[in-house]
Amino acid sequence: MIAEFRLPDLGEGLTEAEVVQWLVKPGDPVTLNQTLAEVETAKAVVELPSPYEGTVSTLHADAGDTVAVGAPLIAFNVAGAEPEAPVTAGDEKRADAEEKAQPNLVGYGAAPASGARPARRARRGVASAATEADAAVIAAAPHDALPPAVAEPVIGERPRSTPPVRAYAKRRGVDLVLVAAEVGDRVITRSDVDAYADRVGAATAEPAEHEVAGASALTVPTAPAGERAQTRIPIKGVRKATAQAMVRSAFTAPHVTCFHTVDVTATMELIDQLRADRSLSEHRIGPLVLIAKAVCLALGRNPSLNATWDEEAGEIVQNHFVDLGIAAATERGLIVPMIRDAERLSLTGMADALTQLTQTARSGKTSPAELAGGTFSITNIGVFGIDAGTPILPPGQSGILAVGAVRRQPWEYRGEIALRQMMTLSVSFDHRLVDGAEGSRFLKDVADLLEQPGRAMLF
């Protein structure tokens, strides 16, 4: 029997997703919960598990296609099923009940038809030798780079790697199955792909000058002499969602931005002391950690910057918790994952949460749930050597703080001129619910905590 799998509801009101890559092809056997494909929504890259055990019959979309939620995505030949019989009213009721019992969120899997325990998701891979390697890579490889014999295909784990590494390997024409045969059961890194590609002579890794970061699949032929070339990049995924959100925010919330230059010498000295403490060696405590903690403390005294304007209800909703968004620049574009209940975290807890958030964002594994909501955000423009900016509010938030670079410069200190470590803070806020005085008080509170970290004892 042919069973259709439609693109499920990926959560957070998302209506479509782009197929990044298929991990199966027609004719492949699949097991329950085996990863079928990676799809990219406006918020994250998500792996789709198989709700059936059987054989792939048809792929209804190609890599790069955009599929609407509820549209057919893939069809399976499901073994052991009986031919369809005429549908009765009782059958319809049972079918409705079964459909309601089926989970529709990615990651929940699906209930098997029998009571057997679901098998661990698997893919044709390698055991002790490469299997089903890309023909082009095999042909290009020197003879001493190949295993002496190719084993029969076995069912094994999909090579362990992150989405950016898989995309990078695809650009270089490297089959990760072959790389996995060499590196073993650990996570494959970019350097592993480079090492393999250099040895077997795979394609050039870095995009050419006419390619654009984040759109390496697009190439432009060399323009004839005297003519100018252009690159056209489809507006989709994170870039499309970010553009829509920024336009909606910029033309809905009246933005005001305040600036303040802060002497953060004491904060930087405190960070050095904490880093020298061996008992804290497992925690990565940097300036952003202390700034995030200072923001949470300051929001407790200035709740209007931790509020939401509810137009439909005609209300200002003040939040008594802090879901702290941290803007992150990734290969897919700008995302703002958040730390829930950040005000409850200790300094080391904040450090661990920021480390986990950063690693997840860089690997492309940030889930839609981690990108939804947020009550206040921080954007660290200082990592690019920038001092100040006028950040745009994420939709639904009333404040965002831009953190500038730390620079040593002459400054008045205790009646004398001294070299101090200085930073500029920029806070943008929604003037509908935050007055200038409130925004200024918030910025001054954050600055005071960074100038004198001991003042945190007074909050």
Side-chain angles (χ1 to χ4, degrees), residues 230-386:
Q230 291 180 326
T231 297
R232 289 184 173 269
I233 304 171
I235 303 173
K236 57 185 179 179
V238 171
R239 174 59 58 197
K240 181 178 180 180
T242 300
Q244 292 172 342
M246 293 300 98
V247 170
R248 185 167 70 252
S249 177
F251 290 96
T252 301
H255 285 54
V256 175
T257 305
C258 294
F259 306 88
H260 188 46
T261 302
V262 188
D263 183 346
V264 295
T265 304
T267 288
M268 301 307 292
E269 290 174 349
L270 175 59
I271 290 172
D272 290 339
Q273 294 170 11
L274 296 175
R275 286 175 172 172
D277 189 337
R278 292 185 177 180
S279 66
L280 301 175
S281 60
E282 296 182 356
H283 309 283
R284 299 182 61 181
I285 301 177
L288 188 58
V289 175
L290 272 73
I291 292 168
K293 188 64 179 176
V295 164
C296 290
L297 293 173
L299 287 175
R301 292 177 54 166
N302 303 273
S304 62
L305 280 98
N306 194 43
T308 302
W309 181 276
D310 190 336
E311 184 72 32
E312 292 185 1
E315 297 173 339
I316 294 174
V317 182
Q318 289 192 346
N319 301 298
H320 301 288
F321 54 86
V322 179
D323 287 345
L324 187 62
I326 305 294
T330 71
E331 291 184 0
R332 299 171 55 242
L334 175 68
I335 61 175
V336 189
M338 65 175 171
I339 301 172
R340 291 193 182 275
D341 299 318
E343 82 286 357
R344 299 182 180 182
L345 297 177
S346 64
L347 194 63
T348 54
M350 186 73 76
D352 295 343
L354 279 170
T355 298
Q356 179 63 40
L357 178 147
T358 302
Q359 292 175 347
T360 303
R362 287 176 177 172
S363 67
K365 291 293 186 180
T366 305
S367 68
E370 293 172 308
L371 296 169
T375 62
F376 188 92
S377 291
I378 298 175
T379 176
N380 186 7
I381 59 177
V383 296
F384 305 108
I386 304 302

Side-chain angles (χ1 to χ4, degrees), residues 213-231:
S216 57
L218 295 176
T219 58
V220 178
T222 303
E227 295 186 12
R228 296 180 297 175
Q230 291 180 326
T231 297

Side-chain angles (χ1 to χ4, degrees), residues 141-158:
H143 294 295
D144 59 359
L146 299 177
V150 177
E152 289 298 317
V154 296
I155 298 298
E157 287 290 319
R158 179 163 63 91

Side-chain angles (χ1 to χ4, degrees), residues 6-20:
R6 299 175 182 274
L7 181 66
D9 178 4
L10 302 176
E12 306 303 333
L14 301 175
T15 59
E16 63 183 19
E18 177 189 344
V19 179
V20 176

